[in-house]
């Protein structure tokens, strides 16, 4: 699985689709999809695409593996959740996008609602636009503090490594705002 903010770019979309094909990826968690009007574009017909309800700045989950049994269980403004069955377990996979100029509480409320769906394991990925040294960098902002409080209250673990390179490096600086969380049981499988 790969998580990536596409920044509405057709080139980034083409590149990640080629990477998915070359590396035989099963799932992509994407934010700020390339769209024409309200519809994401460039995805081949064989890809199962599940998106959030937001007209622009959509997030989504793209399923490339047709043998994965997937069912969309939640779609909000900033969040989309899909349950996939792997080795007899239901894994709730969530993609989300927290626009930096919006209150993070709206995102956290949607996540809280999505987490009510029955699952054995959880993989939560997204561009949260929230900073904390726990997932990289040296700065904690208010969004990072609120997200960390939420994650801890749900008993989730940070998958990102503290010493990883920045997930955003551009003209506005560097940051570690693309984050993956999981339940501790799934984290053990990820680390194997």
């Amino acid at each position: 699985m790969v998580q990536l903010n596409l920044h509405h770019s057709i080139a980034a979309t083409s590149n990640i689709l080629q990477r998915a094909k070359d590396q035989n990826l099963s799932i992509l968690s994407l934010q700020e999809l390339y769209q024409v009007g309200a519809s994401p574009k460039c995805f081949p017909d064989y890809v199962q695409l599940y998106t959030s309800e937001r007209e622009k700045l959509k997030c989504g989950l793209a399923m490339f593996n047709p043998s994965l049994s997937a069912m969309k269980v939640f779609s909000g403004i900033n969040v989309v959740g899909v349950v996939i069955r792997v080795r007899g377990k239901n894994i709730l996979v969530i993609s989300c996008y927290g626009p930096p100029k919006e209150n993070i509480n709206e995102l956290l409320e949607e996540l809280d609602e999505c987490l009510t769906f029955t699952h054995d394991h959880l993989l939560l990925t997204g561009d949260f636009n929230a900073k904390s040294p726990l997932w990289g960098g040296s700065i904690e902002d208010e969004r990072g503090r609120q997200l960390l409080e939420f994650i801890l209250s749900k008993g989730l673990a940070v998958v990102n490594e503290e010493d990883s390179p920045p997930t955003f490096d551009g003209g506005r600086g560097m940051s570690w705002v693309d984050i993956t969380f999981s339940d501790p049981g799934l984290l053990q499988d990820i680390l194997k």
Side-chain angles (χ1 to χ4, degrees), residues 2-190:
V2 169
Q3 181 270 325
L4 180 68
N5 185 317
L6 298 172
H7 298 282
H8 310 286
S9 167
I10 192 169
T13 302
S14 296
N15 286 340
I16 195 64
L17 291 174
Q18 187 62 49
R19 180 177 175 197
K21 182 180 175 185
D22 293 347
Q23 296 180 352
N24 201 26
L25 299 175
S26 293
I27 305 170
L28 297 177
S29 172
L30 304 168
Q31 293 77 41
E32 294 192 80
L33 297 165
Y34 171 70
Q35 296 175 219
V36 174
S39 300
K41 297 296 181 192
C42 298
F43 290 87
D45 290 339
Y46 65 88
V47 174
Q48 298 173 62
L49 184 63
Y50 305 94
T51 62
S52 62
E53 301 299 321
R54 182 182 287 273
E55 187 173 331
K56 295 195 181 218
L57 304 178
K58 284 186 190 296
C59 63
L61 291 163
M63 306 286 184
F64 289 80
N65 185 340
S67 68
L68 281 178
S69 174
M71 181 176 68
K72 184 188 216 178
V73 294
F74 185 83
S75 183
I77 300 297
N78 301 305
V79 175
V80 63
V82 173
V83 171
I84 60 171
R85 190 117 177 112
V86 178
R87 293 187 218 131
K89 300 284 185 181
N90 289 323
I91 301 175
L92 177 58
V93 181
I94 301 172
S95 176
C96 64
Y97 178 63
K101 294 182 180 176
E102 293 182 12
N103 187 328
I104 196 169
N105 287 324
E106 295 170 21
L107 170 64
L108 299 180
E109 287 170 10
E110 283 190 15
L111 287 172
D112 200 37
E113 187 177 345
C114 186
L115 291 174
T116 64
F117 290 90
T118 303
H119 57 277
D120 299 307
H121 292 293
L122 171 69
L123 190 61
L124 168 58
T125 64
D127 180 346
F128 292 87
N129 284 299
K131 299 174 184 172
S132 171
L134 193 59
W135 48 78
S138 60
I139 297 169
E140 180 174 76
D141 62 8
E142 180 59 21
R143 290 173 67 93
R145 188 195 62 71
Q146 290 177 288
L147 178 59
L148 182 57
E149 186 177 291
F150 177 83
I151 293 305
L152 292 174
S153 76
K154 303 300 179 190
L156 299 178
V158 178
V159 177
N160 296 51
E161 296 177 3
E162 293 174 37
D163 60 348
S164 67
T167 61
F168 176 82
D169 189 355
R172 294 176 285 158
M174 297 185 310
S175 61
W176 290 256
V177 294
D178 299 319
I179 313 160
T180 300
F181 302 100
S182 75
D183 64 90
L186 186 59
L187 181 63
Q188 293 302 317
D189 287 340
I190 292 169

